[in-house]
């Protein structure tokens, strides 16, 4: 059987990829994609731990999946609000390039 | 025998997810990155099903791959000039090195910790999870459930207010 560690390793890889996406890319929408990757990494860890629950605590078995569902809902609302922000930034500045939206920089 | 199939399925879907994640980071064309993100999210949904979370896998496909991704693609169409090549122009030419270094370091630390940890846990048996999830949502997690529905309403109203056009009086 596949062990818990391999799922956690994949979660860590997804997290690192999302972090790299946020730090490297200069387009706001691609930064959002990185945030979605990080959400998925966290949810994958929760579901993996809910599958590998000790059998002495059966009431915990589904809690990880509940939290993962909450994460999906939060990601949906986050994507909604963030895209609205990106659209209004595009309307004001005419670009979605992060470095060019620096009005408040001293 | 079942173990072999399980390992094979895990290897295929995990590889698909990881490779697609790399493509999301590396591809410069936003639409291509969005397609790669679709494969990544679908791979995670398949892994959920391998982990015995059937309802969650379907919800992931419906909400992420079907909803959030379409929203992102709409955002790409509405903002990015797809054939504009200097969207990646940056102020500091080598700033991407720091990003790669940071994420590689964090991945290295986490994988080192994972390789040294022994988990005293065994996989639970498979059973349909939808009924249990519904019961948990309406008993133990009732308050967060209600709060998150209010949060969804707020997000919907907030994004409508953010993107609407101002109506000029007089």
């Amino acid at each position: 059987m596949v062990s818990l560690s391999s799922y956690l390793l994949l979660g860590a890889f997804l997290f690192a990829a999302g972090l790299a996406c946020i730090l490297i890319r200069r387009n706001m929408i691609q930064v959002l994609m990185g945030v979605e990757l990080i959400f998925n990494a966290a949810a994958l860890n929760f579901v993996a731990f809910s599958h590998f629950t000790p059998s002495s605590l059966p009431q915990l078995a589904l809690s990880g999946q509940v939290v993962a569902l909450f994460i999906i809902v939060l990601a949906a609302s986050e994507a909604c609000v963030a895209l609205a922000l990106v659209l209004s930034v595009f309307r004001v500045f005419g670009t979605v390039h992060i470095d060019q939206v620096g009005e408040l920089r001293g | 025998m079942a173990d072999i199939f399980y390992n094979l399925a895990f290897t295929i879907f995990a590889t698909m997810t990881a490779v697609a994640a790399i493509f999301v980071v590396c591809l410069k064309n936003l639409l291509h990155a969005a397609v790669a993100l679709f494969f990544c999210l679908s791979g995670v949904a398949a892994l959920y099903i391998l982990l015995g979370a059937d309802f969650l896998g379907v919800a992931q496909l419906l909400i992420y791959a079907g909803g959030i991704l379409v929203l992102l693609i709409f955002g790409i169409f509405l903002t990015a000039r797809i054939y504009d090549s200097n969207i990646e122009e940056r102020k500091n030419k080598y700033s991407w090195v720091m990003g790669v270094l940071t994420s590689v370091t964090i991945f290295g630390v986490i994988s080192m910790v994972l390789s040294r940890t022994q988990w005293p846990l065994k996989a639970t048996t498979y059973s349909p999870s939808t009924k249990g999830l519904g019961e948990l949502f309406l008993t133990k997690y009732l308050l967060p459930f209600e709060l998150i529905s209010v949060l969804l309403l707020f997000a919907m109203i907030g994004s409508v207010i953010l993107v609407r056009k101002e109506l000029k009086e007089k």
Side-chain angles (χ1 to χ4, degrees):
Chain A
M1 289 299 270
V2 180
S3 66
L4 174 61
S5 294
S6 26
Y7 283 104
L8 297 185
L9 199 66
L10 185 68
F13 183 81
L14 279 183
F15 175 77
L19 189 68
C21 197
I22 291 176
L23 291 175
I24 293 172
R25 296 286 112 180
R26 279 291 165 268
N27 189 309
M28 286 183 188
I29 293 184
Q30 205 152 8
V31 171
L32 266 183
M33 290 183 189
V35 176
E36 302 297 336
L37 281 182
I38 289 185
F39 273 125
N40 265 284
L44 185 65
N45 275 13
F46 273 113
V47 179
F49 272 112
S50 101
H51 183 58
F52 290 91
T53 309
S55 49
S56 56
L57 295 168
Q59 74 273 20
L60 285 181
L62 281 176
S63 294
Q65 297 188 22
V66 171
V67 177
L69 272 172
F70 281 139
I71 290 177
I72 290 180
V73 175
L74 281 176
S77 51
E78 175 263 354
C80 181
V81 173
L83 271 174
L85 282 172
V86 170
L87 283 186
S88 40
V89 163
F90 182 72
R91 196 177 289 155
V92 174
F93 290 91
T95 181
V96 287
H97 191 292
I98 286 180
D99 286 343
Q100 290 169 9
V101 186
E103 290 279 294
L104 287 178
R105 182 176 291 166
Chain B
M1 195 62 190
D3 276 4
I4 298 174
F5 282 123
Y6 189 95
N7 286 341
L8 192 68
F10 174 79
T11 314
I12 289 174
F13 288 123
T15 316
M16 185 174 105
T17 310
V19 172
I22 292 177
F23 274 123
V24 171
V25 180
C26 294
L27 288 178
K28 286 212 166 109
N29 189 324
L30 276 178
L31 269 183
H32 296 175
V35 173
L37 188 65
F38 171 77
F39 282 105
C40 184
L41 298 175
S42 311
V44 174
L47 289 176
Y48 286 166
I49 292 172
L50 280 183
L51 282 168
D54 45 357
F55 179 77
L56 199 55
V58 176
Q60 165 98 358
L61 269 186
L62 279 178
I63 300 175
Y64 257 115
I68 296 180
L69 200 62
V70 171
L71 204 64
L72 278 175
I73 291 176
F74 263 106
I76 295 171
F77 282 151
L78 286 175
T79 59
R81 306 180 184 103
I82 299 173
Y83 299 105
D84 195 357
S85 59
N86 53 12
I87 189 73
E88 278 301 321
E89 201 174 70
R90 55 192 77 228
K91 281 189 174 158
N92 186 350
K93 224 177 172 186
Y94 295 102
S95 64
W96 63 273
V97 179
M98 293 310 291
V100 171
L101 268 182
T102 312
S103 59
V104 166
T105 312
I106 288 183
F107 177 67
V109 170
I110 295 178
S111 50
M112 198 180 70
V113 170
L114 283 180
S115 65
R116 291 186 183 180
T117 311
Q118 292 292 324
W119 302 101
L121 303 172
K122 279 177 71 180
T124 46
T125 51
Y126 289 99
S127 55
S129 65
T130 314
K131 187 177 174 225
L133 279 179
E135 274 171 6
L136 276 180
F137 270 128
L138 290 181
T139 54
K140 195 175 169 191
Y141 294 97
L142 183 60
L143 184 63
F145 182 66
E146 297 294 335
L147 280 181
I148 211 158
S149 51
V150 176
L151 177 87
L152 267 181
L153 179 69
F154 283 173
M156 190 173 75
I157 296 174
S159 48
V160 167
I161 289 178
L162 277 173
V163 295
R164 84 196 149 139
K165 286 217 164 67
E166 294 285 339
L167 276 182
K168 293 276 186 293
E169 296 291 324
K170 53 180 172 170

